[in-house]
Amino acid sequence: MSTLLADGNPDLDLLYTVNGWAKAAPPWLDSAVSWIGEYGILLGLLTLCAVGWLRARKQSNAPVKVAGMVWVPLSVALAELANLPIAAIVDRPRPFVSHTGLDVLVAGKAGTHSFVSDHATMAMAFAVALFLVDRRLGALAGLLALLQGFCRMFMGVHYPTDVLGGYALAAAVVLLLAPIAMAVLVPLCHAVTRTALAPLVTAAPPADPGGRRRRAHGHRSAPQRRPADESDLAA
């Protein structure tokens, strides 16, 4: 399938352009980008997920939000599973196997598939799934996903279309399967709130049998008086 790419193809031209910056960069920068592209961005995405979970627990609809956070790592795993048959069918070798003159910054990739990019798939799956729960964190994750794609080309291990294919695959898996996943995860998270594992889902105090929230110090607070001039909107 390497015949899909030939000299003069914009896919290859863009790869040579981005990878050419690696040749001109100092060794310390190449090492930094290699670490970021292999491990750093994924660690950053996991950190955003942890922050998203902590924020979700504090929301009024915490079980729904936490269910969305549970879907984040599950969607990443499913996107990676979906990539396995695609990679085997396309069977595209790494760009440095078929083309010379590339500066490869990470070893051990020669015998693996190039399309689609695993790292790009994982990063975009994190971003899209996280955006469904928390738009700010999802936007940050989206920027990291874009940086991930750049790093993979800078490192000389993926074509631009490998990265774009990973983005498309991740978005399709997350968005198409999210309704099914949430139909299962939301009731599950609601059920967890009635068990000893409730703190994993909600940071609010548990409700007593009457449906009222328990007071933190175990005493009943004095009833608050309603201002005399406050109108009853329901009247």
Side-chain angles (χ1 to χ4, degrees), residues 162-208:
D162 298 337
V163 173
L164 293 177
Y167 290 164
L169 174 61
V173 169
V174 173
L175 297 177
L176 290 177
L177 297 182
I180 301 174
M182 293 300 287
V184 175
L185 294 174
V186 171
L188 177 62
C189 287
H190 275 293
V192 171
T193 61
R194 298 187 291 271
T195 71
L197 298 177
L200 294 175
V201 176
T202 177
D208 63 21

Side-chain angles (χ1 to χ4, degrees), residues 65-84:
K65 292 290 187 179
V66 172
M69 290 307 307
V70 174
W71 173 233
V72 176
L74 289 179
S75 66
V76 174
L78 290 175
E80 285 299 295
L81 287 175
N83 182 30
L84 294 178

Side-chain angles (χ1 to χ4, degrees), residues 113 121 129 159 180 210:
H113 298 294
T121 301
Y159 297 101
I180 301 174

Side-chain angles (χ1 to χ4, degrees), residues 58-134:
K58 299 178 181 179
Q59 302 298 317
S60 59
N61 57 342
V64 177
K65 292 290 187 179
V66 172
M69 290 307 307
V70 174
W71 173 233
V72 176
L74 289 179
S75 66
V76 174
L78 290 175
E80 285 299 295
L81 287 175
N83 182 30
L84 294 178
I86 296 175
I89 292 171
V90 176
D91 193 23
R92 177 188 285 178
R94 296 282 181 170
F96 56 83
V97 174
S98 304
H99 305 281
T100 60
L102 291 169
D103 189 12
V104 183
L105 302 184
V106 60
K109 302 292 184 179
T112 58
H113 298 294
S114 186
F115 186 91
V116 295
S117 168
D118 282 331
H119 282 73
T121 301
M122 286 189 289
M124 189 55 71
F126 270 113
V128 175
L130 192 55
F131 187 81
L132 296 178
V133 184
D134 189 311

